[in-house]
Amino acid sequence: MKLFFRLTFGCFLKLIESTPDIPESGRVLVDWQIDSGGKVFEAGVIRDEFSNKDFQSCLREKIGEIIFPAPPSVRSVYVEHTFVFRKEENN
């Protein structure tokens, strides 16, 4: 999950910078498929509590960059994951 954090954190930072009045936290449900070679295709945002199209686009792009281990079968694999994003103040 550290890889997901590194990839999606930049998207969340851009969201905070462009929309400072967003909620303190929110869930984003994302789905994608992994082909037989481990590449992501058809990444999509199913639900985004922040309702921000640029944020959704960034997440789709970053998830699409991930190369996973090849699935055990020759069929593609469907993945669905909920990310929880939270603003934290630095004191």
Side-chain angles (χ1 to χ4, degrees):
M1 289 324 263
K2 288 182 182 182
L3 174 62
F4 284 108
F5 175 77
R6 282 197 325 263
L7 288 173
T8 60
F9 185 69
C11 296
F12 189 57
L13 284 179
K14 287 180 192 174
L15 174 65
I16 292 170
E17 290 170 359
S18 67
T19 316
D21 59 339
I22 64 166
E24 290 298 313
S25 66
R27 296 176 181 270
V28 181
L29 179 60
V30 181
D31 70 346
W32 63 91
Q33 293 187 54
I34 303 169
D35 70 15
S36 61
K39 293 183 180 179
V40 171
F41 67 100
E42 294 187 22
V45 175
I46 298 171
R47 187 172 39 253
D48 169 18
E49 292 181 349
F50 299 109
S51 300
N52 185 287
K53 297 293 184 193
D54 291 335
F55 180 55
Q56 294 170 17
S57 178
C58 184
L59 289 175
R60 284 192 303 270
E61 178 184 326
K62 294 301 180 185
I63 290 169
E65 294 174 3
I66 301 171
I67 304 294
F68 289 91
S73 71
V74 293
R75 293 183 173 176
S76 62
V77 175
Y78 175 78
V79 179
E80 188 175 284
H81 183 75
T82 300
F83 293 93
V84 178
F85 294 92
R86 183 173 299 116
K87 290 195 293 187
E88 293 184 4
E89 296 294 326
N90 291 334
N91 293 327

